[in-house]
Amino acid sequence: MYQHMSPDLCRRFPPHSEAIRLYGSVCDLRTHKLPGSPGLSKSMFDLTSSSQRFIQRYDSSSSVPSSCSSRKNSQGSNRSLDTITLSGDEKEFGRLNVKLFYNSAVEQIWITVLQCKDLSWPSSYGDTPTISVKGILTLPKPVHFKSSAKEGSNVIEFMETFVFAIKLQSLQTVRLVFKIQTQTPRKKTIGECSLSLRTLSTQEMDYSLDITPPSKISVCHAELELGTCFQAVNSRIQLQILEAQYLPSSSAPLTLSFFVKVAMFSSGDLIYKKKTRLLKASNGRVKWGETMIFPLIQTEKEIIFLIKLYSRSSVRRKHFVGQIWISEDSNNIDAVNQWKETVTNPEKVVIKWHKLNPS
């Protein structure tokens, strides 16, 4: 952790101001009711204004902007469609609002935990359990931080900023993971969400992340960049295994190596199997840049690719990391869109990043 008051922050908040307190690498942004306190409306700390201020919602797994619709109820007030109570698998578990900013002058990332809205927790925890947010930067040596504990409610205000001195190039290869935890009546993770830092920059950004139930199996944060091309003239599919990032690290002194296995199915039957060469990871990344050619024996719409990523810690042992299905029936919307764009645009190379699933 790195303690620093940037020149810009000092300029906006002169020493005699008591509107902000810095402690360690955390900045408490809760409003102090002091007469004559300077306004914060034109800085990255504009946290007291309406929650409707240009907030952009991102899906917690893909970090792709999504729309947030609203309607007026019978009393005429706006009500977000996202807050309508759902049942079963459609039920939402709440959203976490955060703000990110990178100060290139001093190579610092500023992570602000704003608020948690519409959070769901087990009924056995009562009406007002104590809630906190734990954050993890998934670097080779993970960086952990934790907010203060707040009483559970429909809107839980945190307004805390965590500052770390880390190079931008390193941050852009990892994910920022948040775990929503109860502290009372007992400590437990009740939800989680994550955000890719690939697009982190000096521009201040707001995010609204969908909270999902905690996974019962180990979470896979690895992503794989794939290229596909339908070569109609030659009646074949070209698959490019380009790069992987956010790869797990080993507790052993030796660096893990990784490879990708590809299986092509047609009408449910396995037709071809291929794999990449084994390469060592560097800063959680591996670049293969390999191209595989798969001849078509049936219509391209009946083709399914199963792509699996493995790590190897020794010559004899391999470990499954995660996988992705590329087809029209994939459970990953990005994979579906890539395949549809590929088959409808012959000879076009379509390249996308995919978050791998652990199963």
Side-chain angles (χ1 to χ4, degrees), residues 87-317:
S87 60
D89 295 336
E90 296 179 335
K91 184 177 180 181
E92 292 192 349
F93 288 81
R95 295 194 299 276
L96 178 68
N97 295 337
V98 299
K99 185 192 295 279
L100 297 184
F101 167 75
Y102 190 80
N103 188 334
S104 58
V106 288
E107 296 186 326
Q108 291 177 342
I109 180 173
W110 293 59
I111 304 168
T112 304
V113 181
L114 300 175
Q115 62 183 9
C116 197
K117 301 179 66 176
D118 305 323
L119 181 65
S120 297
W121 57 78
S123 58
S124 59
Y125 283 66
D127 294 334
T128 56
T130 304
I131 305 293
S132 65
V133 178
K134 180 180 180 181
I136 306 170
L137 288 165
T138 58
L139 292 158
K141 185 177 180 180
V143 175
H144 299 259
F145 58 93
K146 190 173 184 179
S147 75
S148 56
K150 304 289 184 179
E151 186 177 280
S153 63
N154 187 54
V155 179
I156 308 172
E157 301 281 351
F158 293 99
M159 303 300 180
E160 295 179 47
T161 291
F162 303 83
V163 182
F164 303 98
I166 305 172
K167 291 186 179 297
L168 180 61
Q169 293 82 354
S170 299
L171 290 169
Q172 289 176 333
T173 65
V174 302
R175 296 186 73 85
L176 175 56
V177 179
F178 294 100
K179 294 182 180 293
I180 316 303
Q181 299 179 330
T182 57
Q183 302 301 312
T184 59
R186 62 183 184 272
K187 186 174 181 179
K188 183 180 180 181
T189 298
I190 59 173
E192 57 190 27
C193 51
S194 66
L195 173 68
S196 170
L197 298 183
R198 188 185 308 122
T199 58
L200 178 66
S201 68
T202 55
Q203 181 181 359
E204 179 185 324
M205 294 292 294
D206 290 339
Y207 300 91
S208 182
L209 307 177
D210 289 330
I211 299 172
T212 60
S215 176
K216 295 181 180 180
I217 56 180
S218 59
V219 179
C220 173
H221 298 294
E223 293 186 359
L224 196 60
E225 188 180 32
L226 304 173
T228 51
C229 179
F230 172 36
Q231 298 177 330
V233 175
N234 299 320
S235 188
R236 63 186 190 181
I237 295 290
Q238 174 184 288
L239 179 64
Q240 298 176 355
I241 311 297
L242 300 174
E243 184 178 353
Q245 64 181 6
Y246 310 142
L247 297 174
S249 57
S250 173
S251 57
L254 297 178
T255 304
L256 288 176
S257 297
F258 294 84
F259 67 96
V260 175
K261 294 179 69 174
V262 179
M264 173 180 164
F265 296 85
S266 180
S267 300
D269 297 325
L270 177 62
I271 306 300
Y272 297 105
K273 289 197 302 183
K274 298 186 179 184
K275 67 178 182 178
T276 66
R277 64 192 186 278
L278 185 69
L279 294 179
K280 287 186 177 182
S282 176
N283 295 323
R285 303 175 75 101
V286 171
K287 295 184 179 181
W288 290 280
E290 296 189 21
T291 300
M292 301 176 179
I293 301 297
F294 295 89
L296 293 177
I297 59 175
Q298 294 184 8
T299 172
E300 64 279 359
K301 293 186 178 181
E302 298 177 358
I303 298 300
I304 297 175
F305 285 100
L306 175 59
I307 302 168
K308 294 185 176 183
L309 176 65
Y310 290 89
S311 67
R312 177 164 288 173
S313 55
S314 66
V315 176
R316 297 181 180 180
R317 298 194 64 182

